[in-house]
Amino acid sequence: EGLPIDGNSKVPSYAQSLVDQGMESISILPLFVKDRLAGMLSLGHRKALMRTEEELVRERQVADQVAVALSNAQLTQEQEKLMGMFERYVSPEAASEIWRRREEITLGGEEKTATVLFSDIRDFSTRWAGQPSQEALSWLNHYLTAMSDIVMKHGGFVNKFMGDGVMVLFGVPLSKSVSDEARSAVDSAMDMLAWVEQNNEEREEGEESLRIGIGIHTGILTAGNVGAANRLEYSVIGENVNMAARLEELTKRFPVDVILSEATHQLVEGHVETEPLAEVVIRGFTGKSKLYTVNRKSDRNAVARESASVSTGGVV
């Protein structure tokens, strides 16, 4: 029932404005959102009368409607925050799935097994040396858009654009199965290379051929919000992320387009035709790592296998 106001009344500060407006009594009702107290609703009355049961029910209905409005507003804010992290880099279908399964995402950081793909354009600076920077930027945006579309088609998450490089995640923020995600990463790589081949076929006379290198590795990493307090982004860290980056760099050493780690190879064997490439010590990692490539029936891979046969044992 209402709280009558007289000279001895102690009115809560949040209801003082009602007293200032000349209210004689006040009803104070709690607002619950997801079973938690989200606030208080204060209703002022011109007369200091006892509230009837019917009036109390109506006031409670008003409070419930306000609580629903608060809940919807809170949900909208949460959706905008979550989608702001992902919707530019995943397909609309994936964005909807992320929102539907949002309880599975831990922004504070969690360990997950995922597949990381790094891609980079070979000799990009040389390719555009002496040409207008605006033309270079326009072409680069065209290329990155094509790569992003391919990744989205295969359910990947374009996590970063690094100049002419791309870092892609399969298995975060949402997981299916480790093997499916590794296969999706390799399928993305194959489509990326097919796009490059098509681009080379359509290039103008005198224009240099485009070549990219791709490294793919599967392992445990930590996923969550990374960055300054006022500028956070969802990303991943860990030595397995570094391994994928090292594999991409090694496509410069071994003239192949894509290099797979042994962990990824075990997950995709039988899905695509792979071949051993080399066994090397990779900078920053102990022990030798077995490397594999995907056999795309190209002369380039044949050259790579010949080179790799005498390129083992050193740190690369």
Side-chain angles (χ1 to χ4, degrees):
E1 61 186 46
L3 171 69
I5 301 173
D6 56 35
N8 297 319
S9 299
K10 290 185 177 180
V11 180
S13 58
Y14 53 80
Q16 185 60 47
S17 63
L18 295 175
V19 178
D20 297 339
Q21 296 175 50
M23 299 295 114
E24 295 292 333
S25 65
I26 300 172
S27 295
I28 300 175
L29 301 103
L31 303 174
F32 291 97
V33 175
K34 295 181 180 179
D35 298 325
R36 296 181 63 182
L37 183 64
M40 305 295 289
L41 176 65
S42 302
L43 300 176
H45 309 286
R46 294 290 182 184
K47 296 181 180 180
L49 300 176
M50 298 291 289
R51 317 306 294 149
T52 66
E53 185 66 27
E54 183 179 353
E55 288 172 327
L56 291 173
V57 169
R58 283 203 301 267
E59 290 176 354
R60 185 65 261 172
Q61 289 173 339
V62 171
D64 289 342
Q65 291 173 356
V66 173
V68 169
L70 283 175
S71 178
N72 290 339
Q74 185 180 82
L75 202 62
T76 299
Q77 290 179 342
E78 291 176 0
Q79 185 174 20
E80 289 176 350
K81 179 181 178 181
L82 191 62
M83 292 299 94
M85 296 180 184
F86 301 114
E87 63 185 355
R88 292 176 296 170
Y89 306 119
V90 298
S91 67
E93 295 78 14
S96 297
E97 182 71 3
I98 287 171
W99 176 245
R100 189 179 68 82
R101 296 169 57 186
R102 59 190 178 277
E103 299 299 330
E104 299 177 28
I105 301 173
T106 303
L107 298 179
E110 62 177 334
E111 284 195 342
K112 301 191 75 171
T113 299
T115 297
V116 184
L117 180 155
F118 274 88
S119 174
D120 188 65
I121 298 175
R122 292 288 157 262
D123 302 318
F124 178 78
S125 298
T126 303
R127 178 187 177 89
W128 288 96
Q131 299 189 48
S133 58
Q134 275 191 320
E135 289 184 16
L137 180 60
S138 177
W139 182 91
L140 181 60
N141 287 338
H142 168 69
Y143 163 79
L144 293 175
T145 298
M147 297 299 101
S148 180
D149 288 344
I150 290 170
V151 167
M152 289 183 186
K153 182 182 75 172
H154 290 286
F157 169 38
V158 180
N159 188 238
K160 293 184 192 305
F161 293 120
M162 303 163 291
D164 59 306
V166 185
M167 173 180 168
V168 183
L169 308 175
F170 295 83
V172 291
L174 298 178
S175 303
K176 293 184 294 185
S177 76
V178 175
S179 59
D180 284 347
E181 287 145 6
R183 291 173 180 179
S184 293
V186 173
D187 289 344
S188 291
M190 295 302 97
D191 281 356
M192 292 164 79
L193 293 171
W195 185 94
V196 168
E197 289 179 352
Q198 183 66 30
N199 178 84
N200 287 336
E201 290 177 5
E202 297 172 355
R203 72 186 187 277
E204 296 180 2
E205 185 177 351
E207 184 180 354
E208 290 187 29
S209 295
L210 173 66
R211 187 189 165 208
I212 64 173
I214 300 173
I216 305 175
H217 176 58
T218 305
I220 297 174
L221 43 75
T222 299
N225 275 340
V226 178
N230 61 347
R231 191 174 179 179
L232 292 171
E233 66 174 18
Y234 187 85
S235 191
V236 293
I237 59 173
E239 65 176 13
N240 286 312
V241 180
N242 299 337
M243 172 63 82
R246 295 283 188 273
L247 297 182
E248 183 274 315
E249 291 174 1
L250 285 176
T251 61
K252 302 172 186 176
R253 169 77 176 267
F254 304 113
V256 294
D257 300 313
V258 58
I259 294 180
L260 311 179
S261 69
E262 184 174 15
T264 300
H265 170 260
Q266 290 175 352
L267 294 168
V268 303
E269 192 174 14
H271 178 68
V272 292
E273 186 177 346
T274 60
E275 294 186 0
L277 179 61
E279 187 172 350
V280 299
V281 178
I282 296 178
R283 178 168 47 90
F285 295 85
T286 58
K288 289 186 176 181
S289 299
K290 292 182 179 180
L291 309 182
Y292 296 81
T293 189
V294 178
N295 186 354
R296 303 182 64 239
K297 307 298 183 183
S298 67
D299 292 337
R300 181 178 294 158
N301 279 328
V303 173
R305 291 191 297 276
E306 183 177 346
S307 299
S309 65
V310 295
S311 300
T312 60
V315 179
V316 296

